[in-house]
């Protein structure tokens, strides 16, 4: 089938942007990543985007595809139900070139919630025990690949750079609800703040955007309830 | 720009992060320099588990793990190194748990374990539960856990910096040269010691489970500097890649009870009855090691028993049947691979079998190292001072001619840590060295040629030709004639590569240039694979020569060292295999 692909272009330093249009012959089961790689190979080598694993586990190729944040490698032509495909960089991030955005602020935000295991007890010789139920409590949020699709779909993030954003809250959830972790107090100081949890207004864009199907809004809701209970 | 650190770690996968973490624990000034953001590394794609004889679920011993790894390697693995791997795996897994890694749990709250290919109890009696897992995203959890610990230790990261050369002086390493993707600037990283954890080269082949980033960078930059590569003929083809796409379907699928089926076996789908592997490996059946299963699939296809019945190993395929496992096991223990099947092939694994075919997966060969990760400069085991490597880029050798599933994750944490400990020892006396003016001249020249060349060759064309010839002529089954064709084609492509010109002149995120450089690395690696495979006139592990079908311990119980002599010439040397506890025996399962 034939599709018309419009791709956002921006030279690195000029800041001026435009869309380039390519008409391509594709299979319905092609990934969007295949399509833009073929455009790069056949038509315009200068098209800049990130890629790596090509099957939805590394998080490199999050971008806006027909207005939705998705991974290009996890989106097939047939998913779009349209022969017009519009591809843009993630919203709310500084564009460095074409589809490549500056990811550094995203990782800096993450670092604010102490995104690492803070053990409750000193390590025994063997493993710390954890029941199947305790492990299940935070299973969903361990799936995050830090692609930023959620954070950059969030209107609260668009309107305020200081907001921690859903991806950072997901990481906080992964530790706070881990029965082995004892870092709640330190993390809650950061979370229980206007720029922390409370900028989330349960809009559910993050949940829609997540390529790993994490129930992000629900996880943030867990954190809100927990935070209030700890006050 | 010039940077100065005690230690430079190249690559931010499991091996690099484990190494960097250890060095910061010792208070050294460390920088991790990586082509990708750390959490994008391919360690994150590992699915099924990390092997360690914890005995959480049933009796197990490191010695059994050692034996299985030796046998799995078709007796080419060095047994002193394998003993270290099996022994230290236990502590390394506990350490990961102490770093917070969310392993699945047993009813008693211990780390859960499941069976995996080639891992057995009591020296081959029956499959054993040895793979410690976190659903089917164990690698993802290892990568993220190690990254988190590095964030905690405030490790300095240079993300999207592509290392293109080593600074070597009289066989001592004093740093690296890196190209910054964002700006096009070349950086000199001066250091007392360098660690390479750059991963493998799966993109040499047209069907691969590997990420686009896996272009043999570490191996190629060392090879160009005259260092040898070890056992490059041994390439693992994982039996179950998603049809046409090569995306990995973990061995955990068979560990949980999945069964391979051919076209004569369609009535048994969903019954749990044995498939064709029962005749190939009567004891372990579908849990035979990967080299054997990949060959068995090709044999079925060639005999016309592939699902299409065409006999063409390039396009035909086999079914992986999980139906009898039921929705609960599939959704809870194999969620990611089920998602891949649904997403990419529109197959619902709860109801129907998954079309699979072998996919290029893992490099057993690489930079030769000793048991402390020191890179060797010759087959006599003399080290390059100040240069270390671990993980897929390296060849210790713990995997020999065929790696067992789960052992790659063991390898990165055990040898990443061992390397760091020896680097700490080395750093106590090491000093910075005065380096030549203009150490980046070689790299700058290469980039200049690619950006300003007048030739008309295109990266995509050359890459496609290389991948196609390597897949069809240097794949699961090999012959002298095919390998000679692969070798000649790759040499011709290397000549044509000199005529590649990059059209994008930008300094900023010039990914066309990056792909051109990557292709240069891939072509070097492809060349070493074809040459090494051509000279090894026997069949062992993943190297299967139709014209030399038997293992030949008299002549070939030794490691291949290949070294570059000129633009189209290599030389070979050999290193004996270390044999301690287990004498080579015929390999039956």
């Amino acid at each position: 089938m034939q599709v018309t692909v419009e791709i956002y272009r921006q030279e690195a330093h000029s800041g001026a942007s435009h869309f380039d249009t390519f008409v391509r012959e594709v299979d319905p089961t092609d990934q969007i990543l295949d399509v833009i790689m073929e455009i790069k190979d056949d038509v315009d080598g200068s098209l800049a985007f990130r890629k790596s694993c090509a099957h939805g586990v590394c998080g490199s190729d999050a971008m806006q595809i027909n207005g939705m944040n998705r991974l290009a490698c996890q989106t097939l032509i047939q998913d779009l139900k349209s022969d017009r495909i519009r591809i843009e960089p993630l919203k709310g991030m500084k564009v460095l070139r074409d589809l490549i955005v500056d990811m550094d602020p995203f990782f800096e935000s993450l670092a604010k919630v102490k995104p690492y295991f803070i053990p409750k007890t000193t390590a025994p010789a063997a493993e710390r025990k954890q029941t199947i139920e305790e492990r299940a409590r935070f299973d969903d949020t361990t799936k995050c690949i830090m692609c930023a699709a959620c954070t950059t779909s969030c209107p609260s993030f668009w309107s305020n750079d200081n907001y921690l954003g859903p991806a950072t809250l997901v990481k906080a959830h992964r530790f706070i609800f881990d029965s082995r972790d004892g870092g709640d107090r330190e993390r809650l100081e950061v979370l229980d703040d206007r720029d922390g949890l409370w900028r989330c207004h349960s809009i559910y864009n993050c949940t829609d955007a997540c390529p790993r199907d994490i129930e992000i809004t629900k996880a943030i809701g867990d954190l809100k309830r927990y935070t209030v209970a700890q006050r | 720009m010039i940077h100065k650190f005690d230690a430079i770690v190249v690559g931010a996968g499991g091996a690099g992060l484990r190494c960097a973490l250890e060095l910061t624990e010792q208070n050294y000034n460390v920088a991790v320099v990586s082509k990708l953001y750390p959490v994008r590394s391919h360690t994150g794609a590992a699915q099924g588990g990390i092997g360690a004889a914890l005995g959480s679920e049933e009796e197990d011993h490191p010695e059994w793990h050692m034996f299985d790894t030796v046998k799995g390697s078709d007796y080419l693995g060095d047994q002193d190194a394998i003993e270290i791997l099996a022994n230290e795996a236990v502590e390394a897994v506990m350490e990961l748990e102490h770093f917070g890694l969310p392993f699945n749990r047993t009813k008693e709250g211990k780390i859960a374990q499941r069976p995996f290919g080639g891992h057995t109890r009591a020296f081959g009696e029956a499959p054993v539960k040895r793979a410690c897992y976190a659903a089917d995203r164990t690698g993802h959890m290892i990568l993220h856990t190690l990254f988190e610990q590095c964030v905690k230790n405030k490790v300095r990261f240079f993300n999207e910096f592509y290392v293109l050369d080593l600074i070597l002086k009289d066989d001592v390493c004093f740093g690296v040269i890196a190209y910054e993707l964002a700006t096009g600037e070349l950086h000199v990283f001066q250091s007392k010691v360098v660690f390479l954890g750059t991963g493998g080269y799966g993109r040499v082949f047209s069907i691969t489970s590997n990420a686009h980033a896996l272009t043999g960078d570490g191996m190629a930059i060392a090879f160009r500097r005259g260092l040898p590569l070890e056992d490059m003929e041994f390439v693992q083809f994982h039996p179950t890649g998603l049809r046409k796409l090569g995306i990995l379907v973990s061995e955990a699928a068979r560990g949980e009870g999945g069964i391979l089926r051919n076209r004569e076996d369609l009535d048994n789908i969903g019954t749990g009855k044995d498939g064709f592997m029962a005749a190939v490996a009567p004891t372990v059946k579908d849990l035979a090691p990967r080299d054997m299963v990949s060959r068995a699939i090709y044999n079925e296809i060639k005999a016309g028993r592939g699902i299409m019945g065409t006999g063409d190993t390039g396009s035909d395929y086999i079914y992986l049947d999980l139906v009898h496992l039921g929705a609960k096991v599939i959704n809870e223990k194999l969620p990611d691979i089920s998602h891949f099947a649904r997403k990419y092939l529109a197959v619902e694994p709860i109801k129907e079998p998954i079309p699979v075919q072998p996919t290029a997966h893992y490099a057993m060969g690489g930079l030769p190292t000793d048991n402390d990760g020191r890179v060797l400069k010759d087959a006599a085991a003399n080290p390059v001072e100040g240069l270390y490597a671990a993980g897929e880029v390296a060849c210790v050798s713990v995997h020999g001619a065929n790696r067992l599933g789960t052992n790659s994750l063991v390898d990165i944490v055990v040898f990443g840590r061992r390397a760091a400990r020896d680097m700490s020892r080395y750093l106590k006396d090491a000093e910075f060295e005065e380096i030549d003016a203009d150490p980046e001249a070689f790299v700058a020249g290469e980039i200049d040629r690619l950006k300003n060349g007048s030739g008309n060759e295109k990266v995509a064309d050359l890459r496609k030709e290389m991948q196609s010839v390597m897949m069809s002529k240097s794949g699961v089954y090999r012959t002298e004639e095919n390998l000679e064709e692969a070798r000649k084609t790759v040499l011709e492509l290397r000549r044509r590569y000199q005529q590649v010109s990059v059209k994008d002149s930008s300094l900023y995120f010039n990914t066309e240039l990056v792909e051109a450089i990557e292709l240069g690395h891939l072509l070097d690696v492809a060349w070493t694979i074809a040459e090494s495979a051509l000279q090894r006139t026997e069949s062992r592990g993943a190297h299967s020569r139709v014209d030399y079908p038997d293992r030949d311990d008299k002549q070939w119980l030794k490691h291949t060292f290949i070294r570059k002599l000129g633009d189209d010439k290599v030389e070979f040397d050999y290193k004996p295999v270390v044999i301690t506890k287990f004498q080579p025996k015929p390999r039956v399962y």
Side-chain angles (χ1 to χ4, degrees):
Chain A
M1 66 182 279
Q2 204 176 61
V3 291
T4 303
V5 187
E6 296 171 292
I7 304 180
Y8 178 95
R9 305 300 301 270
Q10 182 180 318
E11 281 291 321
H13 277 211
S14 72
S17 65
H18 66 279
F19 281 85
D20 277 339
T21 303
F22 306 89
V23 176
R24 303 292 298 173
E25 198 56 45
V26 297
D27 284 333
T29 56
D30 283 350
Q31 303 172 3
I32 299 302
L33 181 63
D34 296 332
V35 176
I36 58 177
M37 279 171 53
E38 281 167 21
I39 290 171
K40 186 175 177 67
D41 285 348
D42 301 347
V43 191
D44 186 350
S46 72
L47 177 62
F49 52 91
R50 292 188 175 106
K51 64 176 190 300
S52 194
C53 79
H55 65 289
V57 298
C58 82
S60 296
D61 62 349
M63 51 189 75
Q64 280 190 80
I65 301 167
N66 285 0
M68 285 276 291
N69 282 359
R70 311 166 190 250
L71 300 180
C73 62
Q74 206 181 265
T75 307
L76 310 186
I77 296 282
Q78 65 198 18
D79 298 339
L80 299 175
K81 299 182 173 51
S82 168
D83 58 3
R84 293 192 75 82
I85 302 168
R86 191 176 170 92
I87 302 175
E88 298 161 84
L90 292 175
K91 207 168 170 172
M93 312 276 259
K94 184 180 166 198
V95 176
L96 300 177
R97 186 178 179 186
D98 297 345
L99 302 173
I100 295 178
V101 297
D102 184 2
M103 291 294 290
D104 285 346
F106 175 80
F107 284 101
E108 283 158 19
S109 161
L110 189 79
K112 288 180 191 164
V113 293
K114 307 207 173 191
Y116 42 81
F117 183 57
I118 300 174
K120 199 182 271 178
T121 55
T122 52
E127 68 270 60
R128 288 188 175 83
K129 296 282 170 62
Q130 185 167 51
T131 66
I132 291 169
E133 294 71 30
E134 286 167 342
R135 168 65 179 77
R137 183 73 187 82
F138 65 104
D139 182 68
D140 201 32
T141 46
T142 66
K143 297 188 313 200
C144 174
I145 55 175
M146 298 184 190
C147 66
C150 58
T151 295
T152 60
S153 72
C154 174
S156 300
F157 171 77
W158 297 336
S159 65
N160 190 324
D161 287 347
N162 294 325
Y163 173 40
L164 290 175
T168 299
L169 298 175
V170 162
K171 198 67 167 182
H173 181 282
R174 176 256 171 272
F175 287 108
I176 285 174
F177 291 97
D178 184 337
S179 57
R180 303 167 299 168
D181 187 279
D184 293 17
R185 210 170 279 276
E186 302 163 59
R187 294 197 190 93
L188 289 182
E189 277 174 27
V190 184
L191 295 178
D192 192 3
D193 185 271
R194 188 191 293 270
D195 287 328
L197 279 170
W198 308 111
R199 281 209 188 276
C200 168
H201 303 298
S202 306
I203 297 164
Y204 284 87
N205 276 14
C206 54
T207 304
D208 280 349
C210 181
R212 303 282 293 164
D213 296 329
I214 300 171
E215 295 186 81
I216 302 176
T217 313
K218 180 169 173 287
I220 297 174
D222 290 347
L223 283 171
K224 287 175 177 169
R225 278 188 297 280
Y226 184 76
T227 302
V228 171
Q230 296 298 308
R231 277 179 184 163
Chain B
M1 193 171 180
I2 299 180
H3 311 263
K4 242 173 155 176
F5 289 89
D6 291 331
I8 298 296
V9 171
V10 185
L17 295 177
R18 186 64 196 84
C19 174
L21 183 58
E22 189 74 14
L23 289 169
T24 50
E25 294 284 334
Q26 314 284 338
N27 291 316
Y28 287 110
N29 185 18
V30 186
V32 177
V33 183
S34 169
K35 187 162 83 166
L36 303 171
Y37 275 88
V39 292
R40 314 292 181 227
S41 302
H42 204 56
T43 296
Q47 297 168 357
I50 175 167
L54 306 187
S56 290
E57 310 230 7
E58 56 186 336
E59 185 185 358
D60 197 8
H61 303 281
E63 197 181 13
W64 295 356
H65 186 184
M66 176 189 172
F67 170 78
D68 290 335
T69 304
V70 170
K71 184 177 173 185
S73 82
D74 218 347
Y75 295 90
L76 191 72
D78 290 314
Q79 296 187 14
D80 54 344
I82 294 173
E83 189 162 9
I84 288 169
L85 178 96
N87 284 335
E88 296 189 10
V90 176
E91 191 195 331
V93 166
M94 289 307 174
E95 191 180 63
L96 289 170
E97 199 281 335
H98 295 162
F99 290 153
L101 196 143
F103 284 109
N104 279 42
R105 299 290 169 155
T106 65
K107 283 195 193 82
E108 300 78 32
K110 296 193 270 188
I111 294 171
Q113 296 184 279
R114 63 179 160 210
F116 234 78
H119 290 279
T120 69
R121 55 167 279 109
F123 312 104
E125 231 169 53
V128 72
K129 293 180 178 179
R130 185 176 293 146
C132 313
Y133 63 96
D136 56 355
R137 51 176 183 279
T138 313
H140 164 83
M141 293 319 325
I142 289 177
L143 180 67
H144 282 251
T145 301
L146 290 174
F147 175 63
E148 289 154 9
Q149 291 296 309
C150 285
V151 170
K152 179 181 166 192
N153 280 15
K154 300 193 165 37
V155 171
R156 182 80 190 273
F157 285 101
F158 290 85
N159 298 324
E160 299 186 327
F161 278 61
Y162 187 11
V163 169
L164 298 181
D165 200 8
L166 300 171
I167 303 173
L168 288 168
K169 203 168 163 182
D170 302 327
D171 290 336
V172 187
C173 187
F174 293 108
V176 299
I177 306 296
Y179 173 86
E180 184 181 4
L181 269 65
T183 63
E185 191 183 346
L186 286 176
H187 293 253
V188 178
F189 285 90
Q190 211 185 335
S191 68
K192 299 173 187 170
V193 65
V194 169
F195 173 91
L196 297 176
T198 54
Y201 55 62
R203 288 283 156 179
V204 159
F205 297 91
S206 54
I207 303 279
T208 178
S209 63
N210 284 197
H212 286 287
L214 289 170
T215 52
D217 301 322
M219 296 180 205
I221 62 176
F223 183 67
R224 286 175 186 186
R225 284 287 171 199
L227 295 177
L229 297 176
E230 181 177 354
D231 291 344
M232 293 301 284
E233 59 271 46
F234 298 102
V235 182
Q236 179 164 82
F237 289 82
H238 194 292
T240 59
L242 283 190
R243 186 183 173 215
K244 286 186 183 168
L245 299 166
I247 295 170
L248 182 65
V249 180
S250 171
E251 209 163 287
R254 282 170 288 131
E256 296 292 350
I259 296 166
L260 295 167
R261 304 208 180 275
N262 62 25
R263 66 181 284 143
E264 294 176 355
D265 199 15
L266 301 180
D267 289 345
N268 287 329
I269 289 166
T271 62
K273 284 186 189 157
D274 283 350
F276 62 83
M277 281 309 297
V280 179
T283 311
V284 294
K285 299 172 188 169
D286 292 85
L287 284 176
R290 291 171 180 172
D291 58 332
M292 298 177 79
V293 182
S294 285
R295 279 194 294 275
I297 290 175
Y298 268 36
N299 294 346
E300 292 303 310
I301 290 173
K302 278 187 188 158
R305 294 190 295 268
I307 301 304
M308 293 158 73
T310 62
D312 173 21
T313 53
S315 59
D316 209 345
Y317 61 100
I318 283 290
Y319 278 143
L320 172 62
D321 173 16
L322 308 181
V323 176
H324 58 287
L325 302 181
K328 190 173 157 64
V329 168
I330 291 173
N331 288 335
E332 288 179 11
K333 291 194 166 171
L334 306 166
D336 278 10
I337 60 165
S338 311
H339 170 77
F340 300 150
R342 289 172 192 136
K343 175 90 243 173
Y344 296 112
L345 298 182
V347 164
E348 174 46 69
I350 294 168
K351 294 186 182 147
E352 45 190 344
I354 306 171
V356 293
Q357 62 184 166
T359 180
H361 185 57
Y362 189 84
M364 269 73 76
L367 286 165
T369 72
D370 67 12
N371 294 342
D372 291 314
R374 298 194 295 173
V375 172
L376 306 179
K377 65 180 171 191
D378 53 41
N382 292 303
V384 183
E385 296 290 324
L387 185 61
Y388 290 74
E392 194 173 349
V393 70
C395 179
V396 184
S397 151
V398 285
H399 309 305
N402 173 63
R403 176 173 71 74
L404 288 192
T406 79
N407 273 351
S408 59
L409 294 176
V410 187
D411 184 0
I412 58 176
V413 289
V414 166
F415 288 96
R417 187 176 71 166
R418 284 183 74 88
R421 289 183 178 169
D422 203 67
M423 288 163 77
S424 299
R425 177 197 60 76
Y426 179 82
L427 277 167
K428 287 196 177 78
D429 304 316
E431 298 289 340
F432 287 107
E433 177 78 3
E434 199 66 22
I435 49 177
D436 298 343
D438 229 8
E440 69 275 38
F442 171 73
V443 171
E446 279 289 290
I447 290 174
D448 182 62
R449 180 184 66 75
L450 288 167
K451 282 181 88 168
N452 299 312
S454 54
N456 279 321
E457 293 289 357
K458 288 179 69 178
V459 168
D461 297 342
L462 269 52
R463 189 172 54 211
K464 207 168 278 174
E465 283 182 48
M466 171 196 66
Q467 290 172 336
S468 160
V469 77
M470 290 301 288
M471 193 77 199
S472 60
K473 307 295 177 190
S474 188
V476 172
Y477 278 114
R478 300 163 167 182
T479 65
E480 179 170 335
E481 192 188 354
N482 284 345
L483 288 168
E484 187 56 49
E485 191 183 328
R487 190 183 78 94
K488 276 191 182 143
T489 306
V490 170
L491 282 173
E492 177 57 25
L493 291 170
R494 280 168 52 81
R495 279 186 284 274
R496 287 171 60 192
Y497 179 72
Q498 297 306 313
Q499 301 305 314
V500 162
S501 65
V502 171
K503 302 286 180 274
D504 185 358
S505 60
S506 177
L507 290 170
Y508 310 103
F509 285 104
N510 191 330
T511 50
E512 187 183 359
L513 174 66
V514 169
E515 288 189 12
I517 295 169
E518 289 177 329
L519 173 65
H521 292 173
L522 285 169
L523 284 168
D524 277 357
V525 169
W527 181 30
T528 66
I529 296 168
E531 292 276 11
S532 300
L534 197 51
Q535 55 92 47
R536 185 176 283 268
T537 49
E538 67 157 353
S539 289
R540 182 186 297 272
H543 175 63
S544 219
R545 289 282 300 257
V546 176
D547 40 359
Y548 298 93
D550 298 321
R551 195 174 84 194
D552 178 0
D553 286 339
K554 241 183 213 144
Q555 210 194 322
W556 286 109
L557 193 57
K558 58 187 181 186
H559 300 288
T560 303
F561 275 53
I562 185 171
R563 187 194 301 276
K564 186 179 174 181
L565 282 188
D567 282 342
D568 55 4
K569 213 163 168 280
V570 292
E571 68 170 5
F572 288 100
D573 201 353
Y574 301 94
K575 183 166 167 268
V577 173
V578 178
I579 294 168
T580 57
K581 290 187 175 168
F582 303 108
Q583 288 303 313
K585 282 195 286 197
R587 188 163 159 253
V588 286
Y589 285 91

